[in-house]
């Protein structure tokens, strides 16, 4: 296990950083228990000369817990069902970063 | 007040009748969606008329509109164009106001659903006395 895997596992285990979720490929099937890091900052986008505030929603999950994520897969957090719009892995292939 | 400023203030007044008065002029701060921003733009043509001396000015302002969906953007474009064409003199401030075809683009940041932007040129024709600057 690399230092990055260890760091990711520590973050995922931390109750302040991550929350429990259930992953379902294409929103169906039995579901895989995992821990996800949720990030929802407002960011500023630009259309022509006008800047606008846009709400964002990102999830991160360890590749060790969920090896494959694709568009249309879902994460259930409590009563919330979040549908993945896109998923990319980091350089170390440790974490998935997903747009919701 | 110059004829140009009179025209732009009148155009902003017309824009303020659309979408609960969200329209602002030359904003540089981030706006919330939906947004309507009037950019002053540039003079595109002038024609001198003598005896008495005056100038027929063509000025192109830009109205930038950002909405959450394509349908909402289209509704705002229709509303803005309709408000301008309802009184093409903008209450007497110009001789003719004309909304042109808009440019369209998406606004995207990582992790966000896209927003939709339009840049609507509005041609303003008016007469200045003295000089085109006045």
């Amino acid at each position: 296990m690399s230092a990055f895997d260890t760091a990711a596992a520590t973050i995922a285990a931390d109750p302040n950083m991550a929350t429990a979720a259930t992953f379902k490929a294409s929103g169906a099937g039995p579901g895989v228990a995992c821990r996800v890091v949720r990030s929802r900052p407002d960011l500023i986008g630009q259309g022509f000369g006008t800047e606008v505030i846009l709400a964002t929603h990102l999830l991160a999950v360890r590749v060790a817990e969920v090896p494959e994520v694709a568009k249309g897969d879902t994460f259930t957090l409590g009563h919330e069902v979040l549908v993945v719009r896109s998923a990319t892995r980091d350089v170390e292939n440790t974490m998935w970063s997903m747009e919701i | 007040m110059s004829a140009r400023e009179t025209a732009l203030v009148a155009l902003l007044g017309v824009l303020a009748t659309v979408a609960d008065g969200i329209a602002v002029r030359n904003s540089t701060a981030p706006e919330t969606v939906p947004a309507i921003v009037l950019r002053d733009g540039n003079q595109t043509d002038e024609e001198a008329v003598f005896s008495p001396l005056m100038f027929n000015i063509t000025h192109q302002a830009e109205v930038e509109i950002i909405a959450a969906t394509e349908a909402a953007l289209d509704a705002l474009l229709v509303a803005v164009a309709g408000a301008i064409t309802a009184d093409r003199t903008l209450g007497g401030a110009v001789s003719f106001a004309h909304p042109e075809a808009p440019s369209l683009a998406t606004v995207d940041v990582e992790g966000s659903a896209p927003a939709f932007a339009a840049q609507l040129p509005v041609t303003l024709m008016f007469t200045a006395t003295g000089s085109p600057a006045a």
Side-chain angles (χ1 to χ4, degrees):
Chain A
M1 204 181 208
S2 77
F4 296 105
D5 290 327
T6 308
T10 305
I11 289 168
D14 188 312
N16 297 303
M17 298 283 291
T19 51
T22 305
F23 169 78
K24 291 182 180 177
S26 303
V32 178
C34 56
R35 290 187 64 80
V36 295
V37 181
R38 195 175 189 180
S39 170
R40 285 184 288 181
D42 284 346
L43 295 182
I44 293 169
Q46 189 160 20
F48 299 101
T50 298
E51 292 184 332
V52 286
I53 301 163
L54 296 172
T56 69
H57 201 159
L58 294 168
L59 275 191
V61 68
R62 292 170 62 212
V63 174
E65 287 187 302
V66 182
E68 288 297 331
V69 183
K71 182 179 179 179
D73 293 350
T74 64
F75 286 85
T76 307
L77 285 74
H79 298 295
E80 267 187 290
V81 178
L82 308 175
V83 182
V84 174
R85 291 197 298 131
S86 74
T88 51
R89 277 174 289 206
D90 64 10
V91 286
E92 289 288 333
N93 201 2
T94 300
M95 298 284 279
W96 283 103
S97 179
M98 293 158 286
E99 289 192 48
I100 298 302
Chain B
M1 197 190 287
S2 70
R4 173 185 57 259
E5 181 68 6
T6 303
L8 290 167
V9 168
L11 178 57
L12 182 64
V14 170
L15 296 176
T17 64
V18 175
D20 300 328
I22 58 172
V24 292
R25 184 177 169 194
N26 294 325
S27 167
T28 54
E31 303 288 332
T32 54
V33 179
I36 299 177
V37 181
L38 170 63
R39 304 281 172 200
D40 284 359
N42 295 301
Q43 177 178 315
T44 55
D45 193 29
E46 83 178 53
E47 182 188 38
V49 179
F50 299 101
S51 189
L53 181 64
M54 58 176 133
F55 299 88
N56 292 328
I57 306 290
T58 304
H59 185 100
Q60 189 168 292
E62 308 282 355
V63 179
E64 294 174 350
I65 305 173
I66 300 181
T69 64
E70 291 98 331
L73 179 64
D74 188 61
L76 285 175
L77 280 168
V78 168
V80 166
I84 294 168
T85 55
D87 174 14
R88 287 181 177 272
T89 70
L90 307 181
V94 300
S95 50
F96 193 68
H98 182 59
E100 310 279 351
S103 303
L104 303 170
T106 52
V107 185
D108 194 25
V109 295
E110 188 189 8
S112 166
F116 299 89
Q119 187 180 44
L120 177 72
V122 178
T123 299
L124 304 169
M125 296 179 189
F126 50 87
T127 301
T129 54
S131 80

